[in-house]
Amino acid sequence: MDKSVFLEDLDAFAYREALASGEAIVLIPVGSLEQHGPHLPLGTDTILSSHFAEGVARRLGALVAQPIAYGYKSQQKSGGGNHLSGTVSLDGATLVGVARNLVKSFLKQGVRHVVFINGHFENYQFLYEGIDLALDELGIEPGAEQSVLLLSYWDFVSQDTLMQVYPDGFPGWDIEHGGVLETSLMLHLEPARVAMDRLIDGPAAVLPRFDRLPVVPERTPATGCLSSAAGSSTAKGGLLYGQVVGDLAADLAGELIREPALAVVPA
Ligand code: ZN
Ligand code: MN
């Protein structure tokens, strides 16, 4: 059996051995508990970020920490809105605090690099703030040995992949909620957790250029999805996952791994 990359499977002595190398990299998946229409589970963002972290960790020899399984409030223009039941969210200050606590704990224990792998659009700036506050409190300045990286996995999808996944034109990452990207990835990675027979096709959401609070609920399509998942396939999911994990692992290896011998091992 393959050695697990998940911290939850490691014993404390094996973890300390990894720390003692001085080269430990810990990836933290970040997601949400959020409605994703009738065909995808509420945990989709967390499930997908965890799979990306696992794939990258295997190639880099990194470890994957417990995910942050709740996210910042779903916004109408990127996740349908926080008013929809099934969506359970954190205040910004709470997510900032969680990120800050995790960075402080891992870096103080001797982890060299922490990498947040984000899978929920609304989280990004709160994670950034938590990281910044933690580094400030730890007195970690530019040029230090230790660092923290933050990324959203969809930013690694290449133009070439995009054209193959969306032959009729790409709707935009913000309204890719419950759409072809997430559905195809879930079909590839977790087929038993997708109900394609429940998928409802329809036009993409038409949303104003401003945010209005409180939201006008009718602006979110009844499905809860902002673009249609029709056209999703296992093959598209496999293409997306393989390309993103490959590029992500290569970028992180180039940025974080000192010893070329340790760099990217084939999956
Ligand atoms: Zn999502
Ligand atoms: Mn989301």
Side-chain angles (χ1 to χ4, degrees):
M1 203 187 93
D2 276 2
K3 233 175 83 193
S4 175
V5 295
F6 291 100
L7 279 185
E8 67 180 5
D9 296 324
L10 249 64
D11 66 76
F13 288 75
Y15 174 62
R16 286 170 201 156
E17 221 170 274
L19 293 179
S21 71
E23 303 291 338
I25 299 173
V26 169
L27 313 180
I28 307 178
V30 196
S32 65
L33 189 71
E34 183 184 36
Q35 68 77 27
H36 274 77
H39 65 294
L40 290 176
L42 301 177
T44 294
D45 292 352
T46 310
I47 293 166
L48 292 178
S49 57
S50 298
H51 273 290
F52 281 109
E54 181 182 4
V56 170
R58 288 198 187 287
R59 295 199 183 196
L60 291 184
L63 296 166
V64 180
Q66 297 288 80
I68 303 177
Y70 295 89
Y72 179 66
K73 293 159 197 163
S74 179
Q75 291 169 230
Q76 187 167 39
K77 288 166 64 180
S78 46
N82 212 48
H83 59 294
L84 297 166
S85 49
T87 298
V88 179
S89 310
L90 304 175
D91 287 342
T94 310
L95 183 56
V96 169
V98 172
R100 180 178 140 255
N101 289 166
L102 297 183
V103 168
K104 282 174 69 179
S105 291
F106 282 120
L107 293 188
K108 274 167 117 173
Q109 291 182 2
V111 169
R112 185 148 191 264
H113 302 291
V114 172
V115 182
F116 287 92
I117 311 273
N118 179 42
H120 173 63
F121 196 85
E122 291 85 341
N123 287 340
Y124 200 90
Q125 224 49 47
F126 298 100
L127 298 171
Y128 190 106
E129 173 70 353
I131 295 164
D132 188 63
L133 291 176
L135 294 184
D136 192 48
E137 284 170 61
L138 292 169
I140 294 179
E141 304 278 354
E145 282 284 293
Q146 291 179 298
S147 74
V148 182
L149 268 61
L150 168 60
L151 60 97
S152 294
Y153 72 78
W154 49 82
D155 286 332
F156 288 78
V157 177
S158 72
Q159 271 312 314
D160 191 51
T161 301
L162 215 51
M163 278 162 59
Q164 293 184 59
V165 173
Y166 302 95
D168 302 326
F170 176 53
W173 288 132
D174 48 348
I175 62 163
E176 228 313 326
H177 176 74
V180 171
L181 170 96
E182 288 185 319
T183 305
S184 297
L185 283 168
M186 287 293 284
L187 281 172
H188 171 63
L189 295 164
E190 297 278 348
R193 292 164 118 169
V194 186
M196 288 305 272
D197 55 324
R198 287 167 60 80
L199 187 151
I200 299 168
D201 192 10
V206 180
L207 295 158
R209 279 174 282 189
F210 47 79
D211 281 300
R212 175 169 171 158
L213 292 85
V215 295
V216 181
E218 300 72 42
R219 285 186 176 146
T220 301
T223 59
C225 300
L226 296 182
S227 56
S228 175
S232 302
S233 73
T234 309
K236 285 180 180 178
L239 170 72
L240 279 160
Y241 186 72
Q243 185 262 302
V244 168
V245 168
D247 282 10
L248 192 40
D251 275 20
L252 294 182
E255 182 72 12
L256 302 179
I257 295 189
R258 288 189 277 209
E259 184 56 60
L262 294 176
V264 188
V265 288

